[in-house]
Structure formats: C-alpha cells, structure tokens
Amino acid sequence: MTKQNIFEPGKNCWQETQACYSTPLIDCANYYRALHSSICKAEKQIIIVGWDIDSRIRLLHGEEEEQSEAPSRIGDLIRWKAEQNPDLKIYLLRWDSSFAFFDQREMWALEVWQDKTPENVQAILDDSIPMGGSQHQKIVVIDNEVVFSGGMDVALHRWDTREHKIDEPGRNGPDGEYGPFHDVQIVSSGPLVKHFAELAHWRWNRIADNPIESIGFPDTDTDDLPGCWPDGVKPCFTNADCAIARTIPEMEDTELVQEVRHMLINLIGQAEKFIYIENQFATREEIAYAINKRMKECPDLHVVIVSSYDPKGLFESEAYWASRITFKNIIEKDIDDGRVMMTYSSIRDQQGRMAYKRVHSKVMTIDNQYLVIGSSNLSNRSMTLDTEVDLVFHGSTEENQRCIEFVRNDLLAEHTGRETDQMQDLINSDAPVTAIMEGQLAHGYVLTEIDDSEFTTASETNVFRSISDPEEPLGPAIPDFHGKFSAITNPRRRTIMISLGVIILALIAGALILISNTVPWLDGDRIQAFLEESRGTYFALPTVLLVYLVGGLLFFPVTVLSLAVAAIFGPIWGPLYGIMGALLSAGTTFLLGKLLGNAGLRKLGGPKVEAVDEKLKKSGIIGVAAIRMLPVAPFSLVNLVAGISSITLVQFLIGTFLGMAPQMVAKGLVGDSIMQIFRNPSAETVTYLVGGLVFWLAMIIGSQKAAKMYQAKKEEAKEESEECIA
C-alpha cells in the first residue's frame, strides 16, 4: 500500500471519487473506435461536451469501417442511432468558437445538427465563455454508465494510429492531409461517472432552454463491466481512487475555479524520482518554478517533458514557443545537466523523409503514485480562463501503481521507438533521462531536445502571448442593470457571420456604385448608342456579345439589354443575338461562381444553400429553365449562385436557353414595337407593342404553370416508383 493521497475537495479538486474501471485510450484511432462502440450500445442518453463536435469526422477506418453495420461518420452515426431508438436522448454542446478558429471548424455546425438529425437530438453552442477564453472540456457520458474524458475532441486533424506513419491515408480530413498527431483520452466507469454527468448537466442547463432529462445511475456494486463499455477495451485501473479537477473562469453565474492549477502544483511537490509530462503547450511559469524548486529539494528527481516541435503559424510561434523558451530556462536554472529534458518526438525514414509528431495530449505522471489525464495545457489560459477538467488517479494499490507505470512506459516507448517492457529499467537507472535519450534506434521515432530559438526568441513583453495565452479576459467587465460586473463574452458565431455578410455586401455595393459613377458609358442610352453604331457591320454580333459579357459582370439588368438589342436589330436578329449574348454572359458568371464556391463560398453558405443546391440538382435542366422564366432574381446573381451549386455548366446553359428563348422572342416583339413607335407612331405599332407585352406576360404565367405541372408529375412518378419498390 502507499501513502494517503493529497486530494482536497474545494481546493485542488472538485470531487474525490473512485473509478471501478478505467483505461487510457492512446491516439484517436483507439478513442474513436471505442466511442463508436459505446454510442452503438447506448439505450437511454448520450451527452457530448467538447471544444468541437464535427459531424464530418469518421470514427472508423479501413476494414472496420467497411464491416460496420453502423455509419462511421459521427453525424451519420448520431442520426442513425437517434432514428433507430426514438426514446434515446442525445445532447451535443460545442463551443461557439471565436473567429480565430473558423478555418478549423465546421462552418454551420449547429444548423447541420439541427437540419440532419431527428428531434431527439439537441445541439447548442456555448457562447458564455469570457472573451479570449474557450470551452476546452472534453466529456462524453453514455447512459450514465461510462465516461470518456481527456484531451480529444471529434474534430479536424485528430485521427491517427499509434504507429504515426509518415504516409497515412487515414490522416486526410475534409480540408486536406495533415501530419502525425498524438493524443490521450480515458474511458471510465463507476462512481466518477455521476460527477462527470453532473458537470455536463451543469454546462448544458445553464445555457439551454430545455434541461437535460435525468435518467438515474446504475448500480456500481458489481464486478461486471457496464453495458456501454466499448468492445475490445480491456480495463487497466480497477477500483482506483481518483479526483476530478476543473478550471472555470469567472462568469455571470460562476465564481473563479482554479482546481487544476492547485492540483498540478501539489502533485509536483510530491515527486521524488521521476516526473513524466507530455503536453501541447508549456508556458505557465508557475509550473516551471514548481518543478525547478522540487528538483532542488530532491537531488534524485528527474524530469522528461514531451511536446511538439514545429509551430503552426505566427501566433503559436510567438505566443507559445517564445514562452516555452522562458519555461525551459526556468526549469533548468541551477539544475545539473542530464536531470531534466524538454523534448519532441520525430522520425526520419531510410529515404530521408522527416515527420514531427504533433503532441496534443495533456498527461502527467508523478513516480508511480499519480497519473493525470485531462484537457488542461500547461498554459496560462488553462489555469485561469478556459473551462478545463482533469482526471487524477492515485496509485493507492500495487495493481494501480503498476498501471501508472505501464501508461508512462507505454507512452515513452511510443515516442522513442522502443518496446514498453524496456522502459522501466531505463527509468530505474541512476541517470534515467540520459538513458532514455541515448541508444534510440535510427529510422524510428526518437526524442530530441527542444531548441525553440530556431523559431523565435524569448520576450518579456509579447503582444501575441497576451492575446493567445492570457490569464484574464481580453475584454473589460461591464455592469448589468443590477450593478453586477460580468466579463464580455466572445462574439457569437452567428454575429460574426452576419457581420461578415454585411461587410461583403457593403463592399460589393460600394464597388458597383463606384463603377456606375466613374464609368460614363454605363447607362441605357450610351449602351444603345454603342450598339446602334455596330448595326449593319461585321462587328454587330461581337459588339452584342461584348456588351452582354461586360454587363453581366457588372450586374447590368439583362432585360434592359435584351430590349435594347431587339429595338436595334429587329424582331428576328435581336432575339438571336440576345440569346447568344445571354448564354455567353451566363456561362462566364457561372464559371466565376464555380471559382468562388471552390474558394469557400459553398462552405460559407451552410446547409440552407445545400438544401437549395440539392433541389437544383434534382430538377436539373427543367429547374434552371423554370428559374429563367420567372423574374425572381437578377440574371447575374442567378448565374453566380448556380456556379456555386453542383449543377453542371452544360445543364445550366441548356436550361438557360430553354427558359430564355421564348422570352427573347417576346422581348424582341416588345423592343421592336417600341422602336417602331418612335420611328412611325400609329395604331398598328401600338397594337404590336401591346401584343408583345401580353405575349411576354403569357410566357411568364405559362412557364409557371408548366413548371408546376412538370414538378407535380415528377413527384407523382417518384411516389409510384417507391410504392412499387415497397
């Protein structure tokens, strides 16, 4: 047996509890597989709280995905499970993220879940975090039987296997390929599940209109694994004493909670022989000072820290890598060489190809006495501003001490290319850090000492750090009607999207106004004069085509152009030239829309645009023709939207021709009649004009009815086909 644990609820932890069974899940392939299994087994309730919940992420890969009866993508899996069991309640809470993470997130996440899942699936975005902070807790509770917690989200650029191959086809997300990625989650059952469920309920109920339904908790006085325990996962810890530590920023309805910060400092103060840490970031100077202090108190204490190497962008480099230089200097100050090492894990294969493992995990072991697996980085924001939750195990039995040792040794073996059973002898040696760093095999993963001076320099005053790794909210506290001060929250995603839309529309409108005021020939009279000069010449058709092309790009009304062309070139050549010009203009702006869609407008449009796109694809040529017959939107705008959609250029042009040709004939009659009235006003020319207008109106009304009749017949045929199949 070992000494009493250091858990102090209300100070360094929220709850002191117990896990009947717990098993670390190292790297996302293992976590996603386990999560898929437990979701498939759920019968009553699923609660997912995360930094992100991306509906596009595949939980299974390869043969597992092919052989699974349940869908692999989590969005499809949740929908499938909810439809399969209408009594199952599913709650999804995701951070309503800041503008900084737009490129890493599903653009219309809330609408995707709302539009594509049944009513027993509820999704909300948490926008209550103070400005600069994030919702960083990662919790999944299933049937109140099992809980997943740790550093992993169902998000972009997470999935990888423990081999972390240089070439891995599975590491290919919706926005492209990414490199080796390492993370750690843990699945648990027993009394601790009740506390994680309570935390998840609190997160949901404080911002949602409808509270989470209570379903009760199973009996934990049994040796059987719970029904939702994932297949293929063997328990590591059994009957383990543990504690739950949180970080919660001060918000309108909460006081500041810094249990994680106090827990880590207290744990470091217990270390005697070996501290192992792997963490995405290492910037919190308080943690560095605590490690340095403990190493001076215990001459036999050695420390290995594993983190990432190459920074992702300027903010990460200057906010975290620059601060990590200071962190490293503090730890090593007045400590003998070879006792502490900050490292990264990388591989160079026999062909000379290099890969750096991206470390996202948040793990700490203190000898064989304590194991931390959580969501907290060793950063300022994780100690004070973000919401975090860590699970801390105490090695209160020899069995659980061996489990702590195994987890640590297994992780170190992965990072150094060794076997797990080799690591304990290295750690038991007189110089464990040196033993670990030496003798690593070539062409496998190896640990290398970090030198962040390759990327940046330490700085006392760092504006990037103050923005990316703050201790306090970026905005000031403001009073409410009762005089209570509350921190400003991050702007809501919807607010940001609406603001961006307004800005884009304002820029477009400003550009059009500028063009109209600075281009003297952009009016109906000048265009008509320009066309008249080409009448009767070889340049007539090219002139018409040029006018339609330029007019389409500048959103000039196509009806005005068509009437002008008909008035100048007559009822025969006018419609012919007009339809050719309209097709050229439509095709050009369609291709422009295609380029814009590929550049991100399709993603910006969200599921509502997808729904319109789906209808357009189903109706095809007839749908385009119907739109062309009805003056529901500007000609060029329809072209751009069609380009953003999935309809083909050929379908679009054929539909445009079928929809516009009758109109062009009608406009030809009207335009020619107007010209004849000016040249030779008489009862006959007025009659032609009135007849042309009536024919034009009849074409619009007739096309509406024809489109509706066609659509009705199409739906009727579809229903009959489905009945026959049934």
Side-chain angles (χ1 to χ4, degrees), residues 90-260:
I90 302 176
Y91 303 89
L92 309 173
L93 186 150
R94 196 203 83 161
W95 178 40
D96 193 349
S97 59
S98 72
F99 184 76
F101 296 104
F102 262 36
D103 64 329
Q104 302 176 32
R105 313 293 290 270
E106 197 170 16
M107 186 67 72
W108 295 95
L110 183 61
E111 288 76 8
V112 167
W113 290 111
Q114 290 175 339
D115 293 353
K116 297 185 178 182
T117 55
E119 292 183 357
N120 52 331
V121 178
Q122 297 185 49
I124 57 175
L125 302 180
D126 189 347
D127 64 346
S128 65
I129 309 301
M131 184 176 291
S134 71
Q135 196 313 93
H136 208 238
Q137 294 167 337
K138 300 96 163 41
I139 305 167
V140 180
V141 181
I142 299 183
D143 282 356
N144 283 349
E145 291 184 347
V146 299
V147 59
F148 297 88
S149 65
M152 297 194 208
D153 286 289
V154 183
L156 287 181
H157 302 168
R158 297 293 194 267
W159 185 91
D160 202 359
T161 67
R162 294 209 63 184
E163 290 77 17
H164 301 293
K165 299 175 182 178
I166 293 179
D167 291 326
E168 173 55 72
R171 289 199 309 262
N172 191 357
D175 63 345
E177 299 178 0
Y178 57 94
F181 192 90
H182 173 75
D183 211 337
V184 178
Q185 198 86 338
I186 192 163
V187 57
S188 307
S189 68
L192 84 169
V193 177
K194 182 177 182 180
H195 302 302
F196 274 101
E198 181 183 348
L199 178 59
H201 281 230
W202 173 75
R203 289 305 310 265
W204 179 277
N205 293 342
R206 63 186 291 270
I207 62 172
D209 294 330
N210 300 316
I212 292 179
E213 295 182 11
S214 298
I215 61 171
F217 293 88
D219 180 18
T220 57
D221 294 330
T222 175
D223 294 333
D224 296 332
L225 287 170
C228 289
W229 187 266
D231 292 336
V233 176
K234 182 179 178 181
C236 179
F237 290 98
T238 57
N239 300 319
D241 294 331
C242 55
I244 302 170
R246 307 164 301 166
T247 297
I248 299 176
E250 186 175 2
M251 296 181 282
E252 183 179 357
D253 58 341
T254 66
E255 295 183 355
L256 183 65
V257 175
Q258 297 185 353
E259 296 155 358
V260 169

Side-chain angles (χ1 to χ4, degrees), residues 335-485:
I335 300 297
D336 294 338
D337 291 342
R339 287 186 58 197
V340 57
M341 190 72 68
M342 291 188 65
T343 68
Y344 63 89
S345 184
S346 64
I347 185 173
R348 185 187 296 275
D349 67 9
Q350 293 178 330
Q351 288 75 43
R353 297 179 302 171
M354 193 81 176
Y356 301 99
K357 190 184 300 180
R358 181 74 175 176
V359 173
H360 189 264
S361 49
K362 302 91 172 58
V363 174
M364 178 184 291
T365 64
I366 306 296
D367 300 320
N368 62 1
Q369 296 298 301
Y370 294 97
L371 167 66
V372 181
I373 296 178
S375 67
S376 305
N377 291 307
L378 302 184
S379 61
N380 293 325
R381 62 185 311 118
S382 285
M383 300 299 115
T384 62
L385 187 57
D386 294 346
T387 60
E388 307 282 8
V389 59
D390 291 0
L391 185 56
V392 187
F393 290 91
H394 178 225
S396 54
T397 65
E398 291 184 2
E399 179 184 358
N400 289 329
Q401 288 175 17
R402 286 193 295 270
C403 187
I404 293 174
E405 290 178 348
F406 176 81
V407 173
R408 176 196 63 201
N409 296 346
D410 191 32
L411 290 168
L412 270 169
E414 177 189 307
H415 297 317
T416 61
R418 294 186 173 98
E419 297 297 327
T420 302
D421 56 12
Q422 295 178 283
M423 299 308 305
Q424 192 60 45
D425 288 339
L426 300 179
I427 292 173
N428 289 340
S429 66
D430 294 335
V433 174
T434 302
I436 290 170
M437 298 299 293
E438 293 180 348
Q440 301 181 77
L441 298 177
H443 309 311
Y445 273 96
V446 297
L447 288 180
T448 305
E449 183 176 8
I450 281 174
D451 181 9
D452 289 323
S453 63
E454 297 179 43
F455 306 106
T456 184
T457 57
S459 174
E460 293 296 327
T461 57
N462 189 322
V463 66
F464 295 97
R465 180 169 57 202
S466 64
I467 296 174
S468 293
D469 190 25
E471 292 189 66
E472 298 178 351
L474 298 182
I478 56 175
D480 58 17
F481 292 111
H482 305 288
K484 181 181 178 181
F485 283 80

Side-chain angles (χ1 to χ4, degrees), residues 600-616:
L601 278 186
R602 179 191 295 274
K603 183 179 179 182
L604 191 65
K608 303 302 182 184
V609 168
E610 288 183 12
V612 174
D613 180 22
E614 190 64 28
K615 292 179 181 179
L616 194 58

Side-chain angles (χ1 to χ4, degrees), residues 673 676-677 680-693:
S673 298
Q676 293 301 325
I677 287 175
N680 182 25
S682 64
E684 184 179 1
T685 56
V686 172
T687 302
Y688 274 124
L689 176 61
V690 173
L693 291 172

